[in-house]
């Protein structure tokens, strides 16, 4: 059983990372299904676009209404399953057994607030970036706690945004450092996975495996890596939320 050691406001960046890593290791197997569904849903528009035979151009947004309908649905469902993941992760942290119905019910109850809060947060971040850049970066770090604030506090979207800023402000540098370190770890793992799959691709091609099968394996590996990363970042934001709450 995971020992429920929650970091305090005086916790160092190293303490936060250690606590997040312990939680990640202890909850990965039981939280990964939620993460896989979340990543799969958010990837729906790109998967649809690839089936049309057209390349994804980041400089020119698709005009296909089906793409944007899938993008909106994928975003909403991603928020739902990422929320259920965090609810389960917190329950495991507190020593409770997983309960699918309870976790989905808790996520569904806060789902509308989570979607509205996310949209409001992104509007604020974009406004800050367009204004002076630095305010946008400041808010981006603060809003990493948006999901735990929505799930574990009964606030409306405007109050959620304000609460995130108030929570993170005293430990903003620690939150930034933890986010940067976690992102660097993810990028290193991503590059290592790309290199490993490149070798595997050569082996599979030499063995006569069809290119379509290799592409399917590539997509599955990519989604799996993102799902694992989601579980880790969820654990990290839970620990940062605990530290920020104790210092607020």
């Amino acid at each position: 059983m995971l020992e429920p050691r929650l970091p305090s406001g005086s916790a160092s960046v190293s303490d936060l990372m250690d606590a997040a890593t312990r939680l990640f290791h202890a909850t990965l197997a039981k939280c990964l299904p939620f993460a896989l569904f979340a990543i799969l849903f958010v990837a729906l528009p790109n998967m649809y676009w690839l089936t049309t035979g057209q390349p994804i151009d980041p400089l020119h947004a698709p005009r296909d209404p089906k793409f944007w309908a899938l993008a909106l649905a994928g975003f909403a469902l991603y928020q739902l399953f990422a929320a259920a993941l965090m609810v389960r992760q917190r329950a495991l942290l507190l020593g409770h057994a997983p309960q699918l119905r309870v976790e989905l019910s808790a996520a569904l109850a806060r789902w509308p607030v989570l979607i509205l809060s996310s949209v409001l947060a992104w509007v604020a971040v974009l406004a800050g970036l367009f204004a002076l850049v630095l305010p946008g970066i400041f808010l981006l770090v603060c809003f990493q706690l948006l999901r735990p604030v929505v799930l574990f506090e009964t606030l409306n979207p405007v109050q959620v945004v304000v609460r995130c800023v108030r929570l993170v402000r005293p430990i903003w540098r620690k939150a930034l450092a933890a986010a940067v370190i976690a992102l660097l770890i993810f990028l290193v793992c991503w590059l290592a996975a790309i290199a490993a799959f490149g070798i595997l691709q050569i082996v599979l091609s030499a063995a006569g495996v069809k290119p379509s099968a290799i592409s399917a394996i590539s997509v599955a590996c990519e989604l799996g890596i993102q799902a694992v990363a989601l579980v880790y970042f969820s654990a990290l934001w839970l620990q940062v939320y605990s530290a920020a709450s104790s210092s607020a």
Side-chain angles (χ1 to χ4, degrees):
M1 181 181 295
L2 178 65
E3 184 179 350
R5 291 182 292 173
L6 301 175
S8 64
S10 60
S12 65
V13 175
S14 177
D15 293 334
L16 292 174
M17 301 300 295
D18 288 344
T21 301
R22 288 196 303 270
L23 180 58
F24 168 72
H25 286 159
T27 62
L28 176 60
K30 294 179 179 178
C31 292
L32 190 58
F34 281 137
L36 286 170
F37 275 108
I39 295 300
L40 182 62
F41 283 127
V42 83
L44 281 178
N46 288 339
M47 295 171 66
Y48 161 75
W49 195 245
L50 290 175
T51 62
T52 65
Q54 302 181 60
I56 297 176
D57 186 355
L59 299 179
H60 299 87
R63 297 184 178 180
D64 188 338
K66 291 182 180 179
F67 175 90
W68 292 109
L70 286 172
L72 291 174
F75 167 76
L77 290 169
Y78 168 84
Q79 295 294 343
L80 174 63
F81 280 89
L85 185 161
M86 183 169 282
V87 172
R88 170 169 290 188
Q89 210 165 34
R90 186 170 185 262
L92 292 171
L93 176 63
L94 298 177
H96 304 309
Q99 299 182 60
L100 179 61
R101 182 176 297 179
V102 173
E103 293 147 2
L104 286 176
S105 297
L108 279 169
R110 301 295 291 166
W111 192 24
V113 176
L114 183 58
I115 292 175
L116 292 175
S117 300
S118 299
V119 172
L120 184 59
W122 275 111
V123 170
V125 168
L126 291 176
L129 290 174
F130 282 123
L132 295 171
V133 179
L134 290 179
I137 296 174
F138 172 81
L139 290 175
L140 183 61
V141 175
C142 292
F143 293 149
Q144 301 307 312
L145 297 192
L146 186 141
R147 190 171 294 121
V149 169
V150 170
L151 291 173
F152 309 127
E153 301 183 22
T154 55
L155 304 173
N156 63 46
V158 175
Q159 292 172 329
V160 167
V161 169
V162 174
R163 174 66 170 164
C164 287
V165 174
R166 289 178 177 174
L167 275 177
V168 178
R169 185 186 299 164
I171 62 167
W172 188 87
R173 292 182 180 179
K174 294 180 184 179
L176 174 63
V180 170
I181 293 171
L183 183 59
L184 289 175
I185 293 173
F186 170 71
L187 290 176
V188 170
C189 293
W190 185 269
L191 292 174
I194 291 175
F197 186 78
I199 298 173
L200 179 61
Q201 186 175 11
I202 294 173
V203 174
L204 292 176
S205 298
V209 179
K210 294 181 179 180
S212 58
I214 297 176
S215 297
I217 295 173
S218 175
V219 171
C221 291
E222 181 180 344
L223 294 177
I225 292 171
Q226 293 179 31
V228 171
L230 177 58
V231 177
Y232 180 80
F233 279 99
S234 178
L236 178 60
W237 302 140
L238 269 177
Q239 301 295 4
V240 174
Y241 172 71
S242 173
S245 298
S246 64
S247 65

